[in-house]
Amino acid sequence: PIPCVPWQSQTSGHVPTEGVNLFTIREMVESAGSTMDDVRERGAIILVTLLYNCDLNKDESLCVGKFDFRRTDNVPGSISQGFNYRFKNEYEGPHGERVRDLYKLYGLRFVFQVSVRVENSVLLRCL
């Protein structure tokens, strides 16, 4: 198995512990170049990319991943920056009338992408 990704937080300086979340939400937001205050009002969509570039001819401990965090919702000219969604709640009011409440919620959406590049000269010789 590939070992835990050796990543050290830029903000807190901690190193991840196996079996525990690698990052806090704040660390992911700040690594994407934003602050919690930036995303609090309108939300955000953050792309988390894990890139492995491995050479199978070398020791597997050298096959480590690299994380990249990037905001994808802050496109100039966009009608609605950030991340939001709407839903409705319909019910009968106290006098039998139909009532509909419409909610617009903001939040954080994380999209994860894993990319792997593998080199192995033994496989190339077999082709």
Side-chain angles (χ1 to χ4, degrees):
I2 296 173
C4 183
V5 177
W7 183 87
Q8 185 170 353
S9 168
Q10 297 172 1
T11 55
S12 70
H14 86 268
V15 176
T17 304
E18 189 171 336
V20 179
N21 290 338
L22 290 177
F23 314 105
T24 65
I25 291 174
R26 178 180 303 280
E27 288 169 340
M28 290 191 284
V29 168
E30 290 176 355
S31 293
S34 292
T35 66
M36 292 303 287
D37 289 334
D38 291 340
V39 302
R40 189 168 284 124
E41 273 189 48
R42 294 186 178 250
I45 301 172
I46 297 177
L47 174 65
V48 181
T49 302
L50 174 55
L51 173 63
Y52 279 98
N53 190 1
C54 302
D55 185 346
L56 298 181
N57 298 311
K58 297 180 181 173
D59 189 74
E60 74 176 33
S61 65
L62 299 174
C63 183
V64 295
K66 179 183 177 211
F67 281 94
D68 181 59
F69 300 86
R70 190 174 313 251
R71 261 188 92 169
T72 60
D73 62 286
N74 52 356
V75 177
S78 174
I79 294 172
S80 178
Q81 292 185 344
F83 174 67
N84 65 76
Y85 62 97
R86 295 175 175 90
F87 76 92
K88 65 179 178 171
N89 184 24
E90 295 185 28
Y91 57 94
E92 189 175 307
H95 304 293
E97 76 277 12
R98 183 174 160 216
V99 179
R100 184 177 94 152
D101 294 330
L102 182 62
Y103 298 91
K104 184 173 182 180
L105 304 174
Y106 299 92
L108 291 171
R109 179 178 188 181
F110 293 96
V111 179
F112 292 87
Q113 175 182 355
V114 178
S115 180
V116 180
R117 181 173 176 261
V118 178
E119 294 179 30
N120 188 334
S121 60
V122 174
L123 287 175
L124 293 175
R125 285 187 290 222
C126 292
L127 297 174

